[in-house]
Amino acid sequence: MKQVANYSISLKVFLQNDRWETLILKTPETSTYKWKYDLPWGRIDQDEFYTNLLEILDREIKEEVWEIKYEIKNKPVAVSRHKAVHKSRVEDIFYCFYEAKIVSGQVNISNEHSDFDWIKLDEVELQDYFISWMLDWVKMYLSK
């Protein structure tokens, strides 16, 4: 009998400003992917099973980029999965990507990241910013 996959769920957001630039967050030096970039994201906590996904994403955005006001599309713009290796264990992660537009406020990142930048995804060399699996997801998003 086949074994059913067991995934962690992660929500990510393409958060854009009024110039259609996307917020990217630099991973810290201690990260496995140091000096590359990521999007604001977070995982669904055990006690959030019945919580609306957009409410969970809102919590994560506030944790990572603080108090900004934004409008989010209520449907995912991309989905993907990844086999992550953390120290000696492997974890299967299912990613659900959303798109949002900043309405007001200043980005002020948490200590989970070392810096941030705004880029036009279709005008840069994506491999300079993202690791292989993340690069694939950004390309998937751009091809929508």
Side-chain angles (χ1 to χ4, degrees), residues 54 72-78 96-99:
L54 295 182
I72 192 164
K73 292 183 179 178
N74 64 358
K75 292 184 181 175
V77 294
C96 196
F97 294 84
Y98 289 85
E99 186 177 61

Side-chain angles (χ1 to χ4, degrees), residues 38-62:
D38 200 355
L39 300 171
W41 70 281
R43 296 202 187 171
I44 299 174
D45 293 339
Q46 188 68 31
D47 64 346
E48 294 177 312
F49 184 83
Y50 295 104
T51 306
N52 178 290
L53 294 179
L54 295 182
E55 289 177 35
I56 296 168
L57 191 54
D58 183 62
R59 171 183 57 79
E60 291 294 342
I61 290 171
K62 286 179 180 169

Side-chain angles (χ1 to χ4, degrees), residues 94-127:
F94 182 83
Y95 290 93
C96 196
F97 294 84
Y98 289 85
E99 186 177 61
K101 184 100 167 149
I102 292 182
V103 176
S104 65
Q106 292 285 80
V107 170
N108 184 10
I109 61 171
S110 71
N111 61 1
E112 294 178 37
H113 298 92
S114 62
D115 201 1
F116 72 95
D117 202 355
W118 293 97
I119 62 170
K120 289 192 176 188
L121 294 173
D122 58 349
E123 295 181 5
V124 298
E125 295 294 329
L126 294 172
Q127 66 273 10

